[in-house]
PDB file of all heavy atoms in Angstrom:
ATOM      1  N   PHE V 150     119.441 118.943-212.392  1.00 96.00           N
ATOM      2  CA  PHE V 150     119.773 120.365-212.322  1.00 96.00           C
ATOM      3  C   PHE V 150     118.656 121.152-211.611  1.00 96.00           C
ATOM      4  O   PHE V 150     118.073 120.650-210.644  1.00 96.00           O
ATOM      5  CB  PHE V 150     120.035 120.933-213.725  1.00 96.00           C
ATOM      6  CG  PHE V 150     121.038 120.144-214.510  1.00 96.00           C
ATOM      7  CD1 PHE V 150     120.639 119.351-215.584  1.00 96.00           C
ATOM      8  CD2 PHE V 150     122.385 120.147-214.162  1.00 96.00           C
ATOM      9  CE1 PHE V 150     121.561 118.612-216.308  1.00 96.00           C
ATOM     10  CE2 PHE V 150     123.312 119.413-214.876  1.00 96.00           C
ATOM     11  CZ  PHE V 150     122.896 118.645-215.945  1.00 96.00           C
ATOM     12  N   ASP V 151     118.381 122.357-212.128  1.00 97.00           N
ATOM     13  CA  ASP V 151     117.313 123.182-211.564  1.00 97.00           C
ATOM     14  C   ASP V 151     116.056 123.098-212.438  1.00 97.00           C
ATOM     15  O   ASP V 151     115.263 124.025-212.490  1.00 97.00           O
ATOM     16  CB  ASP V 151     117.797 124.638-211.457  1.00 97.00           C
ATOM     17  CG  ASP V 151     118.352 125.150-212.780  1.00 97.00           C
ATOM     18  OD1 ASP V 151     118.355 124.383-213.770  1.00 97.00           O
ATOM     19  OD2 ASP V 151     118.792 126.313-212.835  1.00 97.00           O
ATOM     20  N   HIS V 152     115.913 121.956-213.112  1.00 98.00           N
ATOM     21  CA  HIS V 152     114.829 121.880-214.096  1.00 98.00           C
ATOM     22  C   HIS V 152     113.442 121.896-213.476  1.00 98.00           C
ATOM     23  O   HIS V 152     112.483 122.333-214.106  1.00 98.00           O
ATOM     24  CB  HIS V 152     115.046 120.648-214.988  1.00 98.00           C
ATOM     25  CG  HIS V 152     116.204 120.810-215.920  1.00 98.00           C
ATOM     26  ND1 HIS V 152     116.534 119.906-216.894  1.00 98.00           N
ATOM     27  CD2 HIS V 152     117.115 121.826-216.029  1.00 98.00           C
ATOM     28  CE1 HIS V 152     117.608 120.338-217.550  1.00 98.00           C
ATOM     29  NE2 HIS V 152     117.978 121.485-217.040  1.00 98.00           N
ATOM     30  N   LYS V 153     113.357 121.445-212.244  1.00 98.00           N
ATOM     31  CA  LYS V 153     112.067 121.541-211.550  1.00 98.00           C
ATOM     32  C   LYS V 153     111.659 123.003-211.404  1.00 98.00           C
ATOM     33  O   LYS V 153     110.525 123.384-211.672  1.00 98.00           O
ATOM     34  CB  LYS V 153     112.211 120.893-210.158  1.00 98.00           C
ATOM     35  CG  LYS V 153     110.984 121.010-209.267  1.00 98.00           C
ATOM     36  CD  LYS V 153     109.951 119.981-209.633  1.00 98.00           C
ATOM     37  CE  LYS V 153     108.841 119.889-208.587  1.00 98.00           C
ATOM     38  NZ  LYS V 153     107.836 120.952-208.739  1.00 98.00           N
ATOM     39  N   GLU V 154     112.617 123.798-210.998  1.00 98.00           N
ATOM     40  CA  GLU V 154     112.385 125.226-210.823  1.00 98.00           C
ATOM     41  C   GLU V 154     111.943 125.886-212.149  1.00 98.00           C
ATOM     42  O   GLU V 154     111.047 126.723-212.184  1.00 98.00           O
ATOM     43  CB  GLU V 154     113.706 125.853-210.344  1.00 98.00           C
ATOM     44  CG  GLU V 154     113.653 127.272-209.901  1.00 98.00           C
ATOM     45  CD  GLU V 154     115.083 127.851-209.746  1.00 98.00           C
ATOM     46  OE1 GLU V 154     116.016 127.083-209.404  1.00 98.00           O
ATOM     47  OE2 GLU V 154     115.260 129.041-209.988  1.00 98.00           O
ATOM     48  N   ILE V 155     112.596 125.459-213.219  1.00 98.00           N
ATOM     49  CA  ILE V 155     112.252 126.004-214.537  1.00 98.00           C
ATOM     50  C   ILE V 155     110.827 125.636-214.915  1.00 98.00           C
ATOM     51  O   ILE V 155     110.044 126.488-215.347  1.00 98.00           O
ATOM     52  CB  ILE V 155     113.253 125.503-215.611  1.00 98.00           C
ATOM     53  CG1 ILE V 155     114.651 126.071-215.312  1.00 98.00           C
ATOM     54  CG2 ILE V 155     112.790 125.895-217.003  1.00 98.00           C
ATOM     55  CD1 ILE V 155     115.750 125.548-216.229  1.00 98.00           C
ATOM     56  N   ILE V 156     110.472 124.386-214.716  1.00 98.00           N
ATOM     57  CA  ILE V 156     109.109 123.963-215.048  1.00 98.00           C
ATOM     58  C   ILE V 156     108.097 124.693-214.184  1.00 98.00           C
ATOM     59  O   ILE V 156     107.064 125.164-214.670  1.00 98.00           O
ATOM     60  CB  ILE V 156     108.951 122.430-214.901  1.00 98.00           C
ATOM     61  CG1 ILE V 156     109.798 121.715-215.956  1.00 98.00           C
ATOM     62  CG2 ILE V 156     107.487 122.026-215.028  1.00 98.00           C
ATOM     63  CD1 ILE V 156     109.671 120.203-215.942  1.00 98.00           C
ATOM     64  N   ASP V 157     108.392 124.824-212.908  1.00 98.00           N
ATOM     65  CA  ASP V 157     107.460 125.536-212.026  1.00 98.00           C
ATOM     66  C   ASP V 157     107.219 126.956-212.510  1.00 98.00           C
ATOM     67  O   ASP V 157     106.095 127.432-212.546  1.00 98.00           O
ATOM     68  CB  ASP V 157     107.997 125.577-210.587  1.00 98.00           C
ATOM     69  CG  ASP V 157     107.846 124.224-209.910  1.00 98.00           C
ATOM     70  OD1 ASP V 157     107.128 123.356-210.446  1.00 98.00           O
ATOM     71  OD2 ASP V 157     108.456 124.034-208.846  1.00 98.00           O
ATOM     72  N   LYS V 158     108.301 127.600-212.881  1.00 98.00           N
ATOM     73  CA  LYS V 158     108.159 128.977-213.339  1.00 98.00           C
ATOM     74  C   LYS V 158     107.360 129.036-214.647  1.00 98.00           C
ATOM     75  O   LYS V 158     106.532 129.920-214.844  1.00 98.00           O
ATOM     76  CB  LYS V 158     109.547 129.588-213.539  1.00 98.00           C
ATOM     77  CG  LYS V 158     109.479 131.066-213.707  1.00 98.00           C
ATOM     78  CD  LYS V 158     110.826 131.727-213.557  1.00 98.00           C
ATOM     79  CE  LYS V 158     110.696 133.186-213.973  1.00 98.00           C
ATOM     80  NZ  LYS V 158     111.992 133.822-214.191  1.00 98.00           N
ATOM     81  N   SER V 159     107.619 128.078-215.500  1.00 98.00           N
ATOM     82  CA  SER V 159     106.911 128.036-216.777  1.00 98.00           C
ATOM     83  C   SER V 159     105.418 127.813-216.566  1.00 98.00           C
ATOM     84  O   SER V 159     104.578 128.469-217.188  1.00 98.00           O
ATOM     85  CB  SER V 159     107.515 126.927-217.635  1.00 98.00           C
ATOM     86  OG  SER V 159     106.701 126.666-218.734  1.00 98.00           O
ATOM     87  N   LEU V 160     105.084 126.901-215.665  1.00 98.00           N
ATOM     88  CA  LEU V 160     103.672 126.615-215.392  1.00 98.00           C
ATOM     89  C   LEU V 160     102.975 127.830-214.789  1.00 98.00           C
ATOM     90  O   LEU V 160     101.833 128.143-215.134  1.00 98.00           O
ATOM     91  CB  LEU V 160     103.561 125.439-214.416  1.00 98.00           C
ATOM     92  CG  LEU V 160     103.769 124.069-215.044  1.00 98.00           C
ATOM     93  CD1 LEU V 160     103.887 123.003-213.969  1.00 98.00           C
ATOM     94  CD2 LEU V 160     102.610 123.737-215.989  1.00 98.00           C
ATOM     95  N   GLN V 161     103.694 128.493-213.936  1.00 96.00           N
ATOM     96  CA  GLN V 161     103.131 129.679-213.302  1.00 96.00           C
ATOM     97  C   GLN V 161     102.823 130.764-214.337  1.00 96.00           C
ATOM     98  O   GLN V 161     101.787 131.395-214.309  1.00 96.00           O
ATOM     99  CB  GLN V 161     104.167 130.178-212.305  1.00 96.00           C
ATOM    100  CG  GLN V 161     103.653 131.164-211.304  1.00 96.00           C
ATOM    101  CD  GLN V 161     104.846 131.730-210.535  1.00 96.00           C
ATOM    102  OE1 GLN V 161     105.647 130.970-209.960  1.00 96.00           O
ATOM    103  NE2 GLN V 161     104.988 133.047-210.543  1.00 96.00           N
ATOM    104  N   LYS V 162     103.743 130.904-215.278  1.00 97.00           N
ATOM    105  CA  LYS V 162     103.529 131.903-216.328  1.00 97.00           C
ATOM    106  C   LYS V 162     102.356 131.511-217.230  1.00 97.00           C
ATOM    107  O   LYS V 162     101.523 132.335-217.581  1.00 97.00           O
ATOM    108  CB  LYS V 162     104.798 132.050-217.167  1.00 97.00           C
ATOM    109  CG  LYS V 162     104.675 133.117-218.240  1.00 97.00           C
ATOM    110  CD  LYS V 162     106.006 133.446-218.861  1.00 97.00           C
ATOM    111  CE  LYS V 162     105.838 134.491-219.962  1.00 97.00           C
ATOM    112  NZ  LYS V 162     107.112 134.783-220.649  1.00 97.00           N
ATOM    113  N   LEU V 163     102.308 130.236-217.566  1.00 97.00           N
ATOM    114  CA  LEU V 163     101.213 129.731-218.405  1.00 97.00           C
ATOM    115  C   LEU V 163      99.880 130.045-217.741  1.00 97.00           C
ATOM    116  O   LEU V 163      98.939 130.522-218.374  1.00 97.00           O
ATOM    117  CB  LEU V 163     101.390 128.218-218.562  1.00 97.00           C
ATOM    118  CG  LEU V 163     100.605 127.499-219.647  1.00 97.00           C
ATOM    119  CD1 LEU V 163     100.881 128.094-221.008  1.00 97.00           C
ATOM    120  CD2 LEU V 163     100.950 126.011-219.649  1.00 97.00           C
ATOM    121  N   LYS V 164      99.832 129.790-216.451  1.00 96.00           N
ATOM    122  CA  LYS V 164      98.630 130.018-215.664  1.00 96.00           C
ATOM    123  C   LYS V 164      98.237 131.489-215.675  1.00 96.00           C
ATOM    124  O   LYS V 164      97.095 131.835-215.916  1.00 96.00           O
ATOM    125  CB  LYS V 164      98.958 129.603-214.222  1.00 96.00           C
ATOM    126  CG  LYS V 164      97.822 129.144-213.391  1.00 96.00           C
ATOM    127  CD  LYS V 164      98.418 128.457-212.175  1.00 96.00           C
ATOM    128  CE  LYS V 164      97.385 128.136-211.125  1.00 96.00           C
ATOM    129  NZ  LYS V 164      97.958 127.273-210.064  1.00 96.00           N
ATOM    130  N   SER V 165      99.228 132.336-215.433  1.00 95.00           N
ATOM    131  CA  SER V 165      98.882 133.737-215.258  1.00 95.00           C
ATOM    132  C   SER V 165      98.562 134.426-216.581  1.00 95.00           C
ATOM    133  O   SER V 165      97.994 135.501-216.586  1.00 95.00           O
ATOM    134  CB  SER V 165      99.994 134.476-214.511  1.00 95.00           C
ATOM    135  OG  SER V 165     101.131 134.549-215.312  1.00 95.00           O
ATOM    136  N   THR V 166      98.899 133.787-217.694  1.00 95.00           N
ATOM    137  CA  THR V 166      98.606 134.430-218.982  1.00 95.00           C
ATOM    138  C   THR V 166      97.564 133.670-219.783  1.00 95.00           C
ATOM    139  O   THR V 166      97.336 133.987-220.952  1.00 95.00           O
ATOM    140  CB  THR V 166      99.876 134.565-219.840  1.00 95.00           C
ATOM    141  OG1 THR V 166     100.409 133.262-220.074  1.00 95.00           O
ATOM    142  CG2 THR V 166     100.929 135.425-219.170  1.00 95.00           C
ATOM    143  N   VAL V 167      96.932 132.694-219.150  1.00 96.00           N
ATOM    144  CA  VAL V 167      96.060 131.795-219.925  1.00 96.00           C
ATOM    145  C   VAL V 167      94.986 132.554-220.699  1.00 96.00           C
ATOM    146  O   VAL V 167      94.644 132.175-221.826  1.00 96.00           O
ATOM    147  CB  VAL V 167      95.459 130.691-219.016  1.00 96.00           C
ATOM    148  CG1 VAL V 167      94.481 131.263-218.016  1.00 96.00           C
ATOM    149  CG2 VAL V 167      94.811 129.605-219.829  1.00 96.00           C
ATOM    150  N   ASN V 168      94.502 133.643-220.157  1.00 94.00           N
ATOM    151  CA  ASN V 168      93.444 134.385-220.837  1.00 94.00           C
ATOM    152  C   ASN V 168      93.924 135.333-221.933  1.00 94.00           C
ATOM    153  O   ASN V 168      93.122 135.815-222.722  1.00 94.00           O
ATOM    154  CB  ASN V 168      92.641 135.201-219.823  1.00 94.00           C
ATOM    155  CG  ASN V 168      91.738 134.327-218.998  1.00 94.00           C
ATOM    156  OD1 ASN V 168      90.991 133.528-219.546  1.00 94.00           O
ATOM    157  ND2 ASN V 168      91.824 134.456-217.681  1.00 94.00           N
ATOM    158  N   TYR V 169      95.204 135.621-221.938  1.00 93.00           N
ATOM    159  CA  TYR V 169      95.702 136.616-222.898  1.00 93.00           C
ATOM    160  C   TYR V 169      96.649 136.013-223.911  1.00 93.00           C
ATOM    161  O   TYR V 169      97.331 136.731-224.620  1.00 93.00           O
ATOM    162  CB  TYR V 169      96.439 137.734-222.156  1.00 93.00           C
ATOM    163  CG  TYR V 169      95.775 138.118-220.885  1.00 93.00           C
ATOM    164  CD1 TYR V 169      96.303 137.773-219.646  1.00 93.00           C
ATOM    165  CD2 TYR V 169      94.559 138.801-220.938  1.00 93.00           C
ATOM    166  CE1 TYR V 169      95.636 138.102-218.479  1.00 93.00           C
ATOM    167  CE2 TYR V 169      93.897 139.135-219.772  1.00 93.00           C
ATOM    168  CZ  TYR V 169      94.437 138.780-218.550  1.00 93.00           C
ATOM    169  OH  TYR V 169      93.778 139.111-217.398  1.00 93.00           O
ATOM    170  N   SER V 170      96.733 134.721-223.935  1.00 95.00           N
ATOM    171  CA  SER V 170      97.733 134.089-224.776  1.00 95.00           C
ATOM    172  C   SER V 170      97.050 133.105-225.713  1.00 95.00           C
ATOM    173  O   SER V 170      95.948 132.619-225.451  1.00 95.00           O
ATOM    174  CB  SER V 170      98.721 133.372-223.852  1.00 95.00           C
ATOM    175  OG  SER V 170      99.249 132.233-224.470  1.00 95.00           O
TER     176      SER V 170
END
Side-chain angles (χ1 to χ4, degrees):
Chain V
F150 308 108
D151 52 0
H152 289 186
K153 175 80 168 80
E154 189 192 329
I155 295 175
I156 293 183
D157 285 347
K158 193 166 171 195
S159 168
L160 282 170
Q161 195 189 305
K162 183 168 178 183
L163 195 57
K164 207 165 171 171
S165 68
T166 60
V167 68
N168 286 309
Y169 320 107
S170 149

